[in-house]
């Protein structure tokens, strides 16, 4: 059992779930999006602020209640997003989604995804893929509203 | 099951459970390298060989459409199908004409609600007028209902103008006869309640509520999903007017549910689904309906499922419903005592010493339900996490979700102990303790 | 089935049929000392081992409640269940979100009719307004419909004040596109018709009627019960808006049916049954519904039945739907020619050379249908007698009942010849010739 | 096969189905009852006339459309009923019903039932028992309305 569990709950994930990078409000947000997983009722609000006059992300913040996977995923996302252009953000979202859909068949690129590669193990748990995607789906919608 | 049954008032013994388990192939599965501990029988039960074999035997030898054919197979199929009805009816103390096959318990409850709605829209002739609702009428449910026994009544209220009221629960998720009496009035037309809560395991004071309801001229609809599989039921004795339960929670198949209705009411209630096999005469403009139960069984019914469900009932009867109930009481107590003793774990529902069904729901402080469930699953323990289709109850208890462990006749003491052992560790794992 | 499939445009050969038959245990039965000749597949088909095995394998190894659980078995069950939906959807050219599991085809047709009724009662919000009916609106069916595709529309008309009109049939029980055009108008909101008649075998001009209906702003509901099992179907290609069929007529289980609906329509149609698994948020007063298909699947669905049905579909695809259709055409022709040549026997439906499904209904002058059926049954031949749930059509043809012989992919030429031989003798036996 | 068929369709039944004793109207009827088998749509109207001032049956007539079993059964009933008192009629109805419910386990009494004993074979065909009973149920209702 320990194998399968450790594969899903990588230490990075457990840590992020506790640290919650980017948890909170923003003084000013250029976009915000609320997402909900109807199966479990988990919710996340993602807010995004750009560096003035650019399409570069100044800060991504989130609030909500969810499982350790969705929480850690939001934390990782907030960490990763800062300083990216919206286009760069989208390519990371695409890479993250591709990794989760692959069921672990392709080795994810740590240069692109950073801590988010820890979620590779989630791809084997169909019911949890949605957990991991939840904040990223919200961020993708934020980007969509800005472009 | 090869165990010899000794005393029908005694719980099934650990030894007998071991014999029973050999009848259930799915209990032999391994999950994540651990032997499966299936503690999710309140969601759906596993099926014994006898039930699987009965359905297959029918399909290999007697399969045919029922009620419509004159050929030999059709006759055999019809006989087996109607015998199944008699068996299931007798199981709950009812006559065969008081039992309607439905798709599941949800469908059975919708059948009743739509019967009232159709009567309110003028369908069903004079006999159906007693079911017509109008503004001023009240439908009463409890705050602890499964969505299946709540949303259909919301819809009925919405289309008829009736008001939906509810019996509130206390901080443990339970209510008293007094709480019910405070809500029922002469405006009450329907009282819908669960016999046993699928979240708290609370056993409702059905007979008392029936007395209150009938004194006010209201009809009582019982959601017997969590009682029919686990305790001896005498629905006419309880006095309820309608009751619903599902095959898949009582060792039988999915795709079949049961509606019980007092004969006099069933014959007056307007039909729900319409189509073949429920009519006597059809012209291009009009149709006459058959009496109950046929009038509620439009189209080809779940034939092989009815036959399998009857076999499930016989299996339950061989074990003995009282003995099953006793056994599950012991397991529930063990779970309750064990879980309540773990720091950071809060159990939901009646406390020790109060009758409850063989299930316990609990909240783990600081750990999300899905993480609890996943952690247990990695140890081979299958429990249910979420709102268990009872969002209003969870909201009332200040929770979004909970973890539920539910036992059946085949659950071992060891499985309960594995649950307790893992529950001890879960908060530490997720850094909540 | 061990036969090697050679040319997909050719009918299944007699030799292949013999191989196919070994897959169907029920076809080995004897009836009244004679080998069973099962000519009642239009009522319900027999099931191959592969289908029985698939369901049993699921129940022995992966059985769990779907969509609600976080544990491994629940995950496996959910995956198998949703894969089954994709398989069946692809079978009719649809996307997985366009397929709703129901209890049977009758239930699927009622789902649509109640969706319209609920919209007419103001349910379902703004999106559902397009389904609301009122006096002046018209629902059009044909005079040849099965009660399942007639009575629900009568009920819908009755509760909304809409008018039910019908496309009349001629003395053979069939109608033309022109007959349909004469009835459809700008008041038409719904056109409901059978793809293939279960009495006459008539194949409706669906694409033409869809064009007529859509030009008038009406939606088309197709009863595909007798087509889905027997011919390749592309529902989006046909252009219909909704379609219904049943598992048990296509080698699958009872207890499951399928509703197809165009995604855009399904997402707007108000729910039918309400309860668990079809909601997102529930309070004591209100509920939000999930998108299709979940919003139509209240309660525990027919899980093992869906998995078995997907296996049935794979079995049909292995044989080849075009080859099945061709084979049944040949058998129908043989029946038609043979029966039409017997003095005192009148066949119903299209004549020779006109496309028809693999079934023939007939009337035996001077002998009651039940006596015909009993006589054939004594010879091991299982046919259906009665009105086949199409009373208005029989009335139009001057009959109370008829005898129907229906073939499937496993029907042998010899079985057809046994039917013809006995049909020759029946009038003499009862002193009518 | 011939065995099972001959057991159901005794020659007496086939003959009665053609002869149709008592088929037709009555000038005057003291009671009448219409019965219908909803499964098959078969119908029978039974009419009964008493000898003036007595409870003795002068004549029983019937009309309707049905299978050979229900038709022959009506014919046999009409033959049997003439001259019986209403009480005697009822005891024959009871005996007929008992025979059909027995599934052939008890030898019926030909002195009581006359040609109707030929219906014993019907008892093995659940779907046809209703056919045989149809006119007798109508006759029973006629009797009920007269006593
Ligand atoms: C043309 C047609 N429509 C509808 C139905 C109803 O199907 P079911 O009884 O499976 O609901 C049938 C079969 O009985 C049929 O042949
Ligand atoms: C108390 C209760 N009511 C109703 C239901 C609904 O049963 P089904 O899903 O079989 O329709 C359930 C089970 O899910 C239940 O536990
Ligand atoms: S369990 Fe809800 S998002 Fe993870
Ligand atoms: S078949 Fe209808 S009464 Fe015999």
């Amino acid at each position: 059992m320990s194998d399968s569990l450790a594969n899903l709950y990588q230490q990075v994930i457990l840590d992020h779930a506790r640290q919650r990078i980017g948890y909170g409000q923003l003084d000013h947000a250029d976009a915000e999006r609320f997402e909900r997983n109807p199966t479990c009722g988990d919710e996340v609000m993602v807010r995004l602020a750009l560096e003035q006059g650019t399409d570069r992300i100044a800060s991504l913040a989130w609030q909500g209640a969810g499982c350790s996977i969705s929480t850690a995923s939001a934390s990782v996302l907030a960490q990763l997003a800062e300083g990216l252009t919206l286009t760069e953000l989208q390519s990371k979202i695409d890479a993250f989604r591709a990794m989760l859909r692959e069921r672990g068949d392709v080795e994810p690129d740590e240069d692109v995804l950073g801590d988010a590669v820890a979620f590779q193990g989630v791809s084997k748990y169909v019911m949890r893929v949605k957990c991991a995607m939840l904040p990223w789906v919200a961020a993708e919608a934020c980007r969509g509203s800005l472009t | 099951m090869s165990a010899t049954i000794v005393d029908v008032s005694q719980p099934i013994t650990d030894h007998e459970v071991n014999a029973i388990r050999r009848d259930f192939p799915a209990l032999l599965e391994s999950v994540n390298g651990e032997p499966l501990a299936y503690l999710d029988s309140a969601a759906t039960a596993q099926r014994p060989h006898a039930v699987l074999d009965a359905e297959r035997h029918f399909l290999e030898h007697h399969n045919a459409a029922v009620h419509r054919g004159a050929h030999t197979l059709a006759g055999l199929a019809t006989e087996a199908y109607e015998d199944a009805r008699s068996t299931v009816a007798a199981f709950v103390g009812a006559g065969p004409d008081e039992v309607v096959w439905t798709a599941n318990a949800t469908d059975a409850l919708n059948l009743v609600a739509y019967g009232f709605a159709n009567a309110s829209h003028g369908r069903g002739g004079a006999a159906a007028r007693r079911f017509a609702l109008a503004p001023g009428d009240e439908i009463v449910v409890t705050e602890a209902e499964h969505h299946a026994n709540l949303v259909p009544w919301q819809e009925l209220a919405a289309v008829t103008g009736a008001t939906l009221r509810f019996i509130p629960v206390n901080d443990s998720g339970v209510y008293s006869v007094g709480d019910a009496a405070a809500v029922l009035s002469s405006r009450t037309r329907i009282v819908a309640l669960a016999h046993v809560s699928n979240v708290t395991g609370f056993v409702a004071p059905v007979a008392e509520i029936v007395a209150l309801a009938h004194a006010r001229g209201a009809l009582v609809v019982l959601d017997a999903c969590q009682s029919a599989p686990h305790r001896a039921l005498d629905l006419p004795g309880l006095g309820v007017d309608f009751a619903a339960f599902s095959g898949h929670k009582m060792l039988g198949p999915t795709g079949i549910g049961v509606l019980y209705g007092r004969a006099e009411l069933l014959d007056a209630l307007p039909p729900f689904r319409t189509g073949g096999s429920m009519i006597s005469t059809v012209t291009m403009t009009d149709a006459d309906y058959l009496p109950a139960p046929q009038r509620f069984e439009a189209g080809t019914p779940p034939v092989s499922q009815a036959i399998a469900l009857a076999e499930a009932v016989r299996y339950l009867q061989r074990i003995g419903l009282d003995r099953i109930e006793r056994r599950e009481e012991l397991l529930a107590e063990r779970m309750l005592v064990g879980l309540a003793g773990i720091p950071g774990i809060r159990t939901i529902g009646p406390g020790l010493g109060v009758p409850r069904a063989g299930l316990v729901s609990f909240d783990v402080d600081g750990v999300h339900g899905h993480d609890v469930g996943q952690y247990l699953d990695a140890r081979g323990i299958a429990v249910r996490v979420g709102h268990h289709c009872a969002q209003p109850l969870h909201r009332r208890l200040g929770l979004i979700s909970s973890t539920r462990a539910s036992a059946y006749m085949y659950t071992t003491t060891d499985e309960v102990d594995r649950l307790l052992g893992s529950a001890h560790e879960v908060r530490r794992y997720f850094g909540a303790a």
Side-chain angles (χ1 to χ4, degrees), chain B residues 69-153:
Chain B
H71 59 79
T72 299
L73 282 193
L76 290 171
T78 304
E79 228 176 305
Y81 171 71
E82 289 301 333
D83 282 353
R85 192 195 301 278
S86 302
T87 300
V88 173
F91 180 65
V92 293
D97 288 351
E98 297 182 313
V99 157
V100 177
W101 304 120
T102 63
N104 53 25
T106 303
D107 186 40
L109 293 164
N110 275 274
L111 190 163
V112 179
Y114 271 103
F116 276 89
N118 287 337
S120 308
H121 296 134
R123 308 300 298 158
R129 247 173 252 149
R130 63 193 292 182
F131 300 111
L133 300 188
D137 288 333
E138 293 182 357
I139 306 165
V140 173
V141 299
T142 86
E143 203 176 4
E145 293 311 306
H146 189 283
H147 296 159
N149 202 25
L150 168 58
V151 189
W153 307 116

Side-chain angles (χ1 to χ4, degrees), chain B residues 206-223:
Chain B
V206 177
E208 292 84 345
I209 291 183
V210 166
L212 287 177
H214 285 177
R216 286 155 185 77
L219 295 172
V220 177
V221 181
L222 190 72
D223 174 354

Side-chain angles (χ1 to χ4, degrees), chain A residues 36-145:
Chain A
R36 187 162 184 281
N37 181 342
T39 328
C40 59
D42 290 5
E43 306 174 337
V44 69
M45 168 68 94
V46 168
R47 292 190 178 86
L48 213 150
L50 298 180
E51 287 175 19
Q52 193 127 29
T54 74
D55 75 340
R56 195 168 288 284
I57 296 165
S59 163
L60 184 156
W62 60 278
Q63 286 180 307
C67 61
S68 61
I69 303 292
S70 69
T71 306
S73 178
S75 173
V76 165
L77 171 69
Q79 183 182 56
L80 204 65
E82 211 174 302
L84 298 182
T85 64
L86 291 175
T87 315
E88 287 162 355
L89 173 69
Q90 184 61 49
S91 65
K92 302 220 188 255
I93 294 171
D94 293 343
F96 190 68
R97 180 178 282 126
M99 176 183 74
L100 287 174
R101 290 211 176 135
E102 280 303 334
R103 300 209 159 197
D105 293 345
V106 179
E107 203 50 51
D109 187 343
E110 194 161 349
D111 290 344
V112 177
L113 288 174
D115 279 2
V117 297
F119 288 86
Q120 196 191 0
V122 175
S123 63
K124 295 224 180 61
Y125 296 82
V126 190
M127 325 284 287
R128 306 307 293 275
V129 167
K130 270 195 188 167
C131 303
M133 278 309 300
L134 198 67
W136 300 65
V137 166
E140 191 171 32
C142 288
R143 180 200 167 251
S145 72

